[in-house]
Amino acid sequence: MPELRPPARRTWAGEPVPLPRWPDDGIGGLLDLALAADPARKLGGVRLRRVPSAGGRYPVEAHVVVDDVAWTYDPFTHALAEPREGAGNGVVLSLVPSRTTWRYGPRSLPVLLLDLGHALAGFAGAEVVVGGVAPASRAEYPLAMTGSVHIGQMPELSAPGTPLIDAALAELAGLTPISLPKSAPVGAREVLARHSAPWPVSGRVPQDIADEVLAATNGVEAVLVEPADHPELAAALAARSCGQPEVADSGALLLVLGEVEPTAEQALRTHVLAGMAVHRAWLRATAHGLRCRPLGCWIDVVLDLGRRRRLVHALAVGAP
C-alpha cells in the first residue's frame, strides 16, 4: 500500500548533537559500529545501515538515555536529536512497525522480530553491555536491553493496516524476558566490514570454517547444508524464498529452525534469537572473508530433518 509508506527517516527541530565515530570508545563508537548508516553504501536511494532490514525498511530505532533524558539516535547523520523524558542510562531499541507493514502486511511480524535480533547482535558485536528503559512514544514499541530483552507497554496506534501486528505485539508484551546467549567476540574490522553480498553467493566453504560459522549460532536450533550436495532440498528452498532462486546456487546455507506451530512466546524467542544467531554467524564468516547474504523471507517452509521443523531464518554463505 504505497499511500501508507512512512518517511524513510525522521526530521527534528533544533540542533543535533554530533557523535564521534569509531575508534571512539564511547557511545559514538558503539552506535557507529552497531547501527549507523554506512557512508559508503547506498542501494536504490537507500542509505544502507550496519544491520540488515527486509527491503531496506529499517523499523528499529535507537534511543540514548542519560540521566533520565532520552535522545533519539539519527543513523544517517550519526547524531542525537530531540531529547525527551526517559529513565535510567543506556541504549534502548524500539520498533516502528509502520515502516514495514505498509509493504509486507501480516508477513511483517516475523521480519520485525528478526530485524530486532540483528540489531541486538550488532550491539553485542560491538562488545559493549547496554541497558535502560524505553521512553514511550506514539507509533513506537519500546524494547529494553539489559542482558535480556522484553517488549514494554504498547502505545495505542492509529495507523491503518496494522491491527494484526499491533495485536501480536501486545500479546508478546507480557512474556518472560529473553536471556541473550554469549558468543565469541569479533573485532571492529569485522563489525564494520559485514554487509549483505549481492547474488550470487557461491563457492565451496572450507569445512573447518563452516563448522565455526555454525558454532556461532549457539542458543538456537540450526543446521548448515551445502546445496551442491542436496540439490532437491536447495530447489525446494529456492521455490519458497520470496523470489530469490539464486538460493539454490549458494555455497552453503545456514538454516535456523523452530516449532511448526509455535506459541506466542516461542515465536518471540525463536525469531529474535534467530536474528541474533544469523548475525553472529555472519560476523564469524566475515572474519574469514566469506560473502554472506541474510535470508529472512520464507513462504511457509517446513522441513523434515528427523522431525518436522519450520524454517525461521537463514544465511547464504559463499567463498571469498
Side-chain angles (χ1 to χ4, degrees), residues 36-151:
D38 188 337
R41 300 187 65 234
K42 181 181 289 189
L43 180 65
V46 176
R47 279 275 301 281
L48 301 178
R49 307 186 195 178
R50 307 286 192 210
V51 292
S53 175
R57 301 301 100 197
Y58 295 110
V60 180
E61 287 277 9
H63 310 272
V64 177
V65 184
V66 181
D67 296 332
D68 295 334
V69 176
W71 298 75
T72 303
Y73 173 62
D74 184 348
F76 297 97
T77 61
H78 190 55
L80 302 180
E82 192 188 26
R84 53 187 174 176
E85 291 184 2
N89 292 281
V91 176
V92 174
L93 302 181
S94 64
L95 287 176
V96 184
S98 60
R99 292 187 186 162
T100 302
T101 54
W102 75 271
R103 181 168 179 174
Y104 296 109
R107 289 188 294 151
S108 299
L109 182 60
V111 173
L112 291 164
L113 295 175
L114 291 174
D115 287 350
L116 170 65
H118 276 281
L120 286 166
F123 275 99
E127 299 182 74
V128 176
V129 177
V130 295
V133 179
S137 171
R138 188 170 185 80
E140 283 188 34
Y141 290 82
L143 299 123
M145 194 166 83
T146 58
S148 63
V149 60
H150 71 272
I151 295 180

Side-chain angles (χ1 to χ4, degrees), residues 272-287:
V272 174
L273 293 178
M276 292 192 69
V278 165
H279 203 92
R280 290 196 305 272
W282 185 13
L283 288 170
R284 184 55 51 197
T286 300

